[in-house]
Structure formats: structure tokens, C-alpha cells
Amino acid sequence: MIIKRYIVDDMKEALIRAKYELGSDALIISHRSIKMGKWYNPFKKKKLEVTLAVEEELKDVKREPRYSLQDLMENNPLFINASDRIKEQLLGYCKLNLKEDQYLTREEIVEFIDIIFKDNCFKNKLDLTRINTFVGPTGVGKTTTIAKIAAEELLVNKKKVGLITMDTYRIGAVEQLKTYANILDVPFEVVMKPEEMKEKIDKLSHCDVLLIDTLGTSQNNREKIEDIQGYFRDIHEDMNTYLAVSMSTDRETLISILERYRKLKYDALVLTKFDEINNFVNFWNIIENNRYPVQYFCYGQDVPDDIQIATLDNLISYSEEIYKDDGSSQ
Ligand SMILES: Nc1nc2c(ncn2[C@@H]2O[C@H](COP(=O)(O)OP(=O)(O)OP(=O)(O)O)[C@@H](O)[C@H]2O)c(=O)[nH]1
Ligand SMILES: [Mg+2]
């Protein structure tokens, strides 16, 4: 007998997934309401846990989800926008691995991407340092990401966290980060002018992790980008600079953001708003046009839940979610 547990929004979702993975003879053994979310999140989401079982000999589909090559290329959001070159390589990979049935498992998809893009930006990660600055275009989620990371570092990794903002341009920006600092009960400093940055960093010398928020600016505004650079000219301590980019940005804009922000010598990317996309065109744009590590994925507005370390495996999970919601897999 094969027994499988699903954490889902409703019974319909559990039945669709079970039908796909276990076949149409699967029976519900139990179901109960549960709350999902990181243990320290006071706003946990309600979910349904459903357990289903099927006799092994009755099962008419394979236990592990597999993807037909044709399906992958024509319907799966991960591959739908891949270039013809990638698709040809995928075919070649299947031939080389004697996959005559042309079905791929999730592990094989990861292996394929790892082979095509050796040392790809989803594989390498930055070592965390004490000072971490977040830069990027307006409204991509810099401040929200800082709040998510601050909560994780403070509550899970038991670090002393300090928050700093230099975004005194936008009305409400200081209050936004200050609110998170108050909720987490961590020190918070506002930098009004470039000369103050070193002083404020030194003031928080007792903190293990400093997260610095910057003002959002268009990649076309070179002057403002240079202004941000000016704030860090006296900082000689190691610093990680993260460029936050929204996954729903179009290709040309994305490439120009990656290019124009080089002025700020970013070390890694944070990809936000995964929950807003219906295709993974930017996954291919980023893997093909960016050599910096991708450190985090953000997939919603919930602080602190909606953030994950960026891995290919997580990425495939998101594409499965979209695939499932589309109903393409039924
Ligand atoms: N759907 C979705 N919304 C997000 C995500 N991250 C942030 N947001 C929302 O995007 C909006 C802007 O987020 P902020 O964190 O203020 O963005 P920012 O980059 O700091 O913006 P500026 O400081 O104005 O440049 C808010 O409504 C956030 O809740 C995400 O991953 N997914
Ligand atoms: Mg902000």
C-alpha cells in the first residue's frame, strides 16, 4: 500500500494531486485542519492535511511525479519560454541518457540545468557578512525582504540584528522599517546624509547582522544610483550588497537593471514576487545574463514567511504550483 500526505488549501486540490500521483483509486484515510507557517509567525495560514492511500498493484501512474518531455516544453511554465537552444539541449540530454520514454524526474531537471549552466547563479551562495545592504528599483520589495531576513536571523539564528535606513526621500519609508524594528524589538538607525553612515554602523557595533535599506531608484537614474554609492564611500568593512529584482520585470528592463546597478558593486541577487508570475521567462533571462549568486526567493507579502533560500529545487516547486493552478497537469 502507498500512503501519501498532502498539505493543501481544500479537498479538491488534494483529490486532483492524488489522482495525478496515485491514480484514480486512491482513498482518503484521514483529513484535518492545520496551521502552516514558520513557528515564530503569529499569522499562520490555515491549511488542510489530507492522507490518501492506494494499493500498489492498482496504482496506474508512477509514484514520483515525472514530466513528459513534450509536456515540459509545451506546457510547463519552467520550460515554456526557454530558448530553442535550451530545448534542443534538453532533447540531447534525454538522448544521451537513453531516456527513450522521454520522461524526466525533478532530480533530472535539476541535473540537466546544472549540466547546461555549470556553476550557475542558483548553485553558488554568498557567505553572510555583518553588513548587508539592499539596493534595487522602486517597489521591488527591498524593505519587506529586510524585515523577513531580520526575523529569520533574530528568531531562528539567534543573531543580534540591527536595522538602518537611508531612505529619507520617500514619505513613510522610515516609518515602514521602524515598524518592523519595533515589532522585532531590534535597534534602528536613520542615516540622513552620507557622512552619517559610518557613525551609525559603528553605533550598532554590538550587532552581529546589520541590514541596510536604501531608497528605490529607477535604473535609468544614474545620478541617484551614484548618490547611494556616496553613502558607502567611508565603509571599509566587508559588506554584502544585494540587488533586489522583481520576477515580473520584462526582459529588457531586467537586463538594464542588472547592468546599471553594477555601479553599486552588488554581490548577489534577491528575486522577489515569484507569486505574481505565470511563466519563468525571467528564470532563463537571469540564468543566461547574470553571473552573480541568487541568494533568496521571495514569493509574497507575508513577513516573515514568504522567503526561501534560492535553489533550483524550490524553483521547480513554484513552477509545479503554477502548472497545477493552470490545470495543465490534469
Ligand atoms: N506579491 C508580492 N509582493 C511583495 C513581495 N515583496 C514585497 N511585496 C510588496 O511590494 C510592495 C513594495 O514593497 P517594499 O518592501 O516597500 O518595496 P521597496 O523595494 O522597499 O520599495 P521602495 O522603498 O519604495 O523602493 C509592498 O506592498 C510589499 O508588500 C513579494 O515577494 N510578492
Ligand atoms: Mg523600501
Side-chain angles (χ1 to χ4, degrees), residues 38-130:
K38 291 180 181 163
W39 59 267
Y40 49 84
N41 182 0
F43 312 105
K44 291 192 172 105
K45 290 176 196 154
K46 279 196 186 142
K47 290 271 184 182
L48 188 65
E49 182 192 88
V50 186
T51 309
L52 291 107
V54 66
E55 292 292 340
E56 195 133 15
E57 51 279 15
L58 288 178
K59 189 172 72 69
D60 57 5
V61 285
K62 303 211 166 62
R63 194 178 319 187
E64 189 182 5
R66 294 165 79 88
Y67 307 82
S68 92
L69 197 55
Q70 191 180 351
D71 221 27
L72 269 181
M73 291 190 191
E74 289 175 6
N75 299 316
N76 188 300
L78 190 64
F79 283 94
I80 214 163
N81 297 99
S83 62
D84 290 346
R85 189 178 67 90
I86 303 282
K87 288 180 179 170
E88 269 165 34
Q89 280 169 317
L90 186 57
L91 265 171
Y93 168 86
C94 288
K95 282 193 189 133
L96 213 71
N97 288 280
L98 298 174
K99 294 200 75 70
E100 279 168 18
D101 62 354
Q102 295 204 327
Y103 272 84
L104 294 182
T105 62
R106 171 196 283 248
E107 286 69 30
E108 285 163 339
I109 296 175
V110 172
E111 185 185 271
F112 163 72
I113 295 170
D114 276 344
I115 291 172
I116 303 302
F117 301 98
K118 287 188 202 69
D119 292 327
N120 67 67
C121 54
F122 296 92
K123 212 171 187 175
N124 306 322
K125 293 283 168 282
L126 275 194
D127 293 330
L128 292 180
T129 55
R130 195 175 87 88

Side-chain angles (χ1 to χ4, degrees), residues 12-55:
K12 186 171 161 228
E13 183 188 343
L15 295 177
I16 290 170
R17 286 175 63 180
K19 188 175 171 192
Y20 179 58
E21 289 173 26
L22 300 174
S24 41
D25 293 306
L27 295 172
I28 300 168
I29 300 179
S30 68
H31 60 94
R32 65 183 179 120
S33 297
I34 54 167
K35 287 190 171 172
M36 290 287 288
K38 291 180 181 163
W39 59 267
Y40 49 84
N41 182 0
F43 312 105
K44 291 192 172 105
K45 290 176 196 154
K46 279 196 186 142
K47 290 271 184 182
L48 188 65
E49 182 192 88
V50 186
T51 309
L52 291 107
V54 66
E55 292 292 340

Side-chain angles (χ1 to χ4, degrees), residues 138-144 170 176 216 273 275-276 298 300-301:
T138 49
V140 291
K142 298 176 291 300
T143 309
T144 311
R170 186 169 64 77
Q176 191 187 357
K273 309 206 177 180
D275 54 311
E276 291 188 353
C298 297
Q301 296 179 288

